[in-house]
Every structure is written in structure tokens, then in C-alpha cells.
Amino acid sequence: DVKVTQSSRYLVKRTGEKVFLECVQDMDHENMFWYRQDPGLGLRLIYFSYDVKMKEKGDIPEGYSVSREKKERFSLILESASTNQTSMYLCASTRGGVNTEAFFGQGTRLTVV
Amino acid sequence: GDSVTQMEGPVTLSEEAFLTINCTYTATGYPSLFWYVQYPGEGLQLLLKATKADDKGSNKGFEATYRKETTSFHLEKGSVQVSDSAVYFCALLNYGGATNKLIFGTGTLLAVQP
């Protein structure tokens, strides 16, 4: 059974903390994505990666960075968490090519207080 | 840049009613198009897809046809059930060389009443 696993389901952090969200996939997929999901705004792409050590900015990269040192793991980093980063964060992965399905993790509900 | 626009919800229907959720897109080239569904408390899962113009994707009674001339991929179902209550996301995947960028719409909440 294919799987994308996010390290935490719920997380509470303080303003100014450095926060790491981890995502691991077991499908040997080339592409991995981080989104945030907010009511009325849908899924907005933060960053994506198409290979180890390769990354591209999505639509809302400000305040975030990413790391992909191994193919199966894609980390989202909030350098200094702020309350406006309180959200649901979703990780996804796809293999390369045009006819490819995205597999999602269960999401991490992050609250910054 | 690439974008997806879908009708705002919530959409509230009675059981056995006909469903349409509109989706239009803007993209360079020839993207693949998808509908994903998110049931309450769960992650997103693929509902159906189409990879070229005039393709029809179908699954679980849902259908959508890739219309290049109108840049649309509207979701339809002839008779909805209470169990179809969920958030539906339209998405496009634009394959550009080595990278695949997957873009979603804002989602449409469907509530089906018995």
C-alpha cells in the first residue's frame, strides 16, 4: 500500500520558534510538494521538489524554506513561526510524467500561539 | 502563471439530484487535469483524471470531460448520495521538462441532504 507519511498530525508552537514539518514517501517518487490549506483559499503551493536537492518556489514561499537531502524525505521549515502561519499543511508526492496521480499525507494541523 | 478556478460553495443538494461543479483553467501547453476529493477528516484522494483534450475521466458515477476549446473540466454526477458529501478540488499538472507543478483550485464543499 502506497504511503505518504507526515511526522505529526497536530502541532502547537510559539511565535518565533523554528518549526520542522517532515514528510516521507515510500513510492520512490521524483516529485514532492508542500501545500497549506486554509478555508476559502483551497490548497496553495508553498514549495515543490523534482529531485534530490532540487527545489522550486510555489505561489506562497515567503516565510518558508525546504530541504530534500534524500529522495524519500521532504522537509518544510518555518524559520521563525508567526501566527499567520497557523494552518493545515499537506504533503504530496508524484512520480514523473504527465499521467500521474498525487498521493497525499494526512496533513499536519499547525497552531502558532 | 498557471491557475485553476472553480465554483464557490457550498453546494447543497438533495439525495438523487444532479450535480455539476464548474472548473476552468489557465495554463501554457497541454496540462493534465484532475478532480480530487477530501472526505471529512481525511486527506485528499484522486477521484478522476484526463490527460488530453476530449478525454473523459470517470469514477464512482462522477464524470468530467477535458474541453480544450473552453479550457474547462466540469465535474458531473447524475444522482448524488449522502456519502458524496465532501470537498472537491479541481487540479492541473503542467509537465515542463524535468518538473511537474501541481496546482489546485479553491475547493467546493458539497453537502447532500437525505
Side-chain angles (χ1 to χ4, degrees):
Chain A
D1 198 17
V2 296
K3 194 177 286 186
V4 177
T5 304
Q6 295 184 227
S7 53
S8 303
R9 196 74 192 267
Y10 300 93
L11 213 51
V12 180
K13 295 292 182 180
R14 296 194 180 279
T15 301
E17 276 194 78
K18 190 168 185 176
V19 181
F20 293 86
L21 303 183
E22 307 287 345
C23 176
V24 176
Q25 50 94 2
D26 64 0
M27 296 164 280
D28 201 35
H29 283 173
E30 289 83 1
N31 307 299
M32 297 187 75
F33 305 81
W34 275 107
Y35 299 87
R36 62 177 285 177
Q37 183 178 12
D38 300 289
L41 298 176
L43 271 68
R44 293 181 291 167
L45 181 62
I46 304 171
Y47 268 97
F48 66 106
S49 168
Y50 52 91
D51 201 351
V52 175
K53 296 191 187 295
M54 307 303 288
K55 61 186 179 185
E56 285 199 25
K57 294 180 180 179
D59 299 318
I60 51 164
E62 297 78 18
Y64 303 94
S65 62
V66 291
S67 172
R68 193 164 180 204
E69 296 296 319
K70 294 185 178 181
K71 192 175 185 180
E72 66 270 19
R73 186 181 296 271
F74 191 36
S75 303
L76 180 69
I77 303 156
L78 286 66
E79 296 289 342
S80 178
S82 64
T83 54
N84 63 13
Q85 293 178 310
T86 291
S87 185
M88 172 69 83
Y89 290 87
L90 295 174
C91 175
S93 72
T94 70
R95 59 176 171 81
V98 299
N99 187 16
T100 178
E101 172 184 354
F103 292 87
F104 281 83
Q106 287 294 93
T108 297
R109 171 75 64 186
L110 172 67
T111 302
V112 183
V113 298
Chain B
D2 298 346
S3 66
V4 174
T5 303
Q6 59 182 105
M7 65 186 287
E8 291 193 21
V11 174
T12 303
L13 295 174
S14 297
E15 208 164 21
E16 299 184 1
F18 184 84
L19 168 70
T20 299
I21 300 178
N22 290 337
C23 172
T24 58
Y25 68 91
T26 301
T28 56
Y30 302 94
S32 298
L33 300 174
F34 304 83
W35 278 99
Y36 284 83
V37 59
Q38 185 178 34
Y39 297 103
E42 298 184 14
L44 275 76
Q45 54 187 277
L46 179 68
L47 180 60
L48 53 84
K49 64 183 178 184
T51 58
K52 61 183 187 297
D54 300 325
D55 266 3
K56 177 185 281 189
S58 61
N59 186 26
K60 300 182 181 180
F62 291 89
E63 293 183 341
T65 301
Y66 189 165
R67 302 283 188 204
K68 195 170 189 303
E69 64 276 13
T70 55
T71 62
S72 65
F73 193 55
H74 305 319
L75 183 68
E76 297 182 336
K77 187 175 185 183
S79 176
V80 294
Q81 305 300 313
V82 172
S83 57
D84 294 327
S85 299
V87 181
Y88 292 82
F89 292 92
C90 186
L92 73 82
L93 179 67
N94 215 346
Y95 182 68
T99 67
N100 286 11
K101 190 173 183 181
L102 182 59
I103 300 293
F104 285 83
T106 53
T108 302
L109 173 64
L110 170 65
V112 181
Q113 298 176 338

